[in-house]
Amino acid sequence: SARCEHLARQLLIYGRAMPTSEMMQRIDAVDAAALGRVANRIGESKLSLAALGLVGKLESFDKLSARFH
């Protein structure tokens, strides 16, 4: 069930089950500066590509990545 998956994720990430109140405090602590840091980290990372299906018709990785930089 979704509840079990949520608990398992907490155990893997934090090593314990996190109380709802603590989770809410962590969410409330997110501010614009934190979101900006994450956005910068994502924007500065190298582009990656995963494809499924008729991959022979994909645009080349170099051409695709040039559109993002």
Side-chain angles (χ1 to χ4, degrees), residues 4-19:
C4 290
E5 290 177 20
H6 187 70
L7 178 59
R9 187 177 308 112
Q10 288 180 7
L11 290 172
L12 288 171
I13 295 171
Y14 304 110
R16 63 186 175 87
M18 186 180 299

Side-chain angles (χ1 to χ4, degrees), residues 8-50:
R9 187 177 308 112
Q10 288 180 7
L11 290 172
L12 288 171
I13 295 171
Y14 304 110
R16 63 186 175 87
M18 186 180 299
T20 303
S21 59
E22 182 180 350
M23 184 67 70
M24 295 303 294
Q25 287 174 339
R26 287 174 177 241
I27 291 169
D28 289 340
V30 175
D31 58 8
L35 292 176
R37 287 190 301 273
V38 171
N40 285 336
R41 196 171 1 163
I42 291 170
E44 293 170 354
S45 65
K46 291 179 68 175
L47 183 66
S48 60
L49 174 69

Side-chain angles (χ1 to χ4, degrees), residues 39-64:
N40 285 336
R41 196 171 1 163
I42 291 170
E44 293 170 354
S45 65
K46 291 179 68 175
L47 183 66
S48 60
L49 174 69
L52 179 66
L54 300 173
V55 296
K57 296 185 178 192
L58 280 177
E59 185 173 13
S60 76
F61 180 79
D62 292 334
K63 190 174 179 181
L64 179 66

